[in-house]
Amino acid sequence: MCTERYIDPFTDFGFKRMFGSERCKAYLINFLNSLFVDEEKIVDITYRNTEQLGLLPGDRNAIYDLYCTTDTGGHIIVEMQNSRQKYFVDRTIYYSTYPIQRAAEPGSEWNYQLPKVYMVAFLNFVMSDYAENPNYKHDVKLVDIATNEVFYPKLNYIFLEMSKFVKREEELEDRKEDWLYVIKNLAKLPNVPKRMGDELFHSFFQLAEVSNLSPEEYEAYEMSLKRQRDNYNIVATAREEGGRERDIQRAQKMKIDGLPIDSIIRYTGLTPEEIDEL
């Protein structure tokens, strides 16, 4: 049973409730405008079908968490990813191509002008390529390697490694960080932070209150929480078993090399009985 005051936006239900419908488009617009640097301000968005079908029979489909278009014709895909995937970046690039492919409507004249596409990914893990990079926000574009200038400004990827965003409320510097702080900590907050006292955040926190969910919504949220916890346990168990398997292999090599059992215990964490059985 949920005991927190506010819903967890890292659940599928929570993320879509807070950002994925007409009643909360103001929150998504405000967040996106705080996130996009040196871009034309978004005035309005239109939510689109999150399931994108392939152009030809047999093509693979793409299912987004959120997909919308702006008042100026830009396409924005927003993803919440809780678990690391082997080809996550490849998947991200693949998903971003659907709006591009659909720019040419069948049967119409077309001059190859493409729309702007933004792919925003909330990551509840650290990306392998950025493991040693302390920055939590990564803006990725096509650039000319020789000049380091943007070659094609219409294709934009923003990766947000939420585990690296560790600022406290008193350390927040701008609206972007206000939103990231709220999204990361919402399920743990007892009250609305003083810094977020404006009307927009006031209505956001009202919508996020678990007590404001209908019985049907509450049941859906509980199921979403359960799926999230089950996935976390599966990943944690796999990680733990993988680590133990490495310790066993390491202990076997140490034993073959004739290292003292005390050293094997110290370096692997295995018990004397476990080492004896190897």
Side-chain angles (χ1 to χ4, degrees):
M1 182 176 180
C2 177
T3 57
E4 292 80 14
R5 179 174 179 180
Y6 301 109
I7 64 175
D8 186 347
F10 285 93
T11 62
D12 184 62
F13 175 92
F15 187 65
K16 289 176 181 175
R17 177 177 174 83
M18 303 317 303
F19 295 105
S21 65
E22 285 292 321
R23 66 177 172 178
C24 49
K25 69 160 59 176
Y27 313 139
L28 183 59
I29 291 172
N30 192 266
F31 169 68
L32 292 173
N33 279 331
S34 74
L35 193 65
F36 298 157
V37 179
D38 299 327
E39 296 286 344
E40 183 179 354
K41 290 296 181 183
I42 300 168
V43 176
D44 194 17
I45 59 173
T46 302
Y47 287 95
R48 302 295 186 186
N49 187 350
T50 56
E51 183 177 6
Q52 300 300 299
L53 305 179
L55 294 177
L56 298 173
D59 284 355
R60 291 184 179 275
N61 299 338
I63 300 178
Y64 307 138
D65 287 334
L66 295 180
Y67 175 40
C68 57
T69 53
T70 71
D71 50 302
T72 57
H75 294 246
I76 301 174
I77 301 162
V78 185
E79 288 279 292
M80 176 69 78
Q81 192 71 24
N82 280 309
S83 302
R84 183 181 286 107
Q85 294 183 4
K86 185 175 182 180
Y87 297 111
F88 170 72
V89 173
D90 299 67
R91 173 181 175 273
T92 301
I93 302 299
Y94 175 71
Y95 270 28
S96 71
T97 65
Y98 273 72
I100 297 173
Q101 295 174 45
R102 295 191 172 278
E105 293 294 336
S108 63
E109 293 185 3
W110 183 48
N111 62 2
Y112 287 93
Q113 183 178 12
L114 296 175
K116 274 192 174 184
V117 176
Y118 298 87
M119 188 86 183
V120 180
F122 289 91
L123 308 179
N124 214 2
F125 58 88
V126 174
M127 298 175 70
S128 300
D129 291 341
Y130 292 121
E132 303 302 321
N133 188 323
N135 297 321
Y136 63 83
K137 180 175 180 278
H138 307 287
D139 292 274
V140 180
K141 299 176 187 286
L142 290 174
V143 300
D144 184 316
I145 295 176
T147 64
N148 205 32
E149 294 181 353
V150 175
F151 172 74
Y152 184 73
K154 291 184 177 182
L155 191 56
N156 307 272
Y157 301 91
I158 297 178
F159 298 97
L160 300 166
E161 295 179 291
M162 299 301 288
S163 62
K164 291 181 180 179
F165 183 78
V166 294
K167 288 192 174 185
R168 300 187 298 271
E169 182 185 352
E170 61 271 19
E171 298 173 320
L172 303 177
E173 298 180 20
D174 52 31
R175 192 67 164 186
K176 172 187 85 258
E177 293 189 350
D178 290 347
W179 274 114
L180 294 178
Y181 177 85
V182 167
I183 291 168
K184 180 172 182 178
N185 298 290
L186 184 61
K188 298 178 287 187
L189 294 174
N191 298 294
V192 180
K194 291 181 179 179
R195 182 180 172 91
M196 291 80 179
D198 61 77
E199 186 176 342
L200 185 77
F201 268 126
H202 178 73
S203 63
F204 176 87
F205 275 90
Q206 278 191 320
L207 184 64
E209 287 215 39
V210 173
S211 61
N212 288 332
L213 297 176
S214 69
E216 294 77 16
E217 289 172 333
Y218 184 81
E219 183 178 356
Y221 177 49
E222 282 284 310
M223 289 299 297
S224 194
L225 273 176
K226 182 180 183 302
R227 286 194 298 270
Q228 182 196 49
R229 290 163 181 163
D230 287 347
N231 288 337
Y232 173 80
N233 286 332
I234 290 170
V235 172
T237 300
R239 186 179 295 119
E240 182 178 324
E241 290 178 350
R244 178 173 172 76
E245 182 64 31
R246 286 192 294 273
D247 287 337
I248 291 173
Q249 293 172 354
R250 190 179 299 120
Q252 288 173 328
K253 292 178 181 178
M254 290 178 175
K255 194 173 180 180
I256 292 171
D257 289 344
L259 268 70
I261 191 168
D262 288 347
S263 297
I264 300 176
I265 292 171
R266 185 166 67 252
Y267 290 120
T268 66
L270 298 180
T271 66
E273 292 76 20
E274 289 172 326
I275 296 171
D276 224 25
E277 292 176 0
L278 296 177

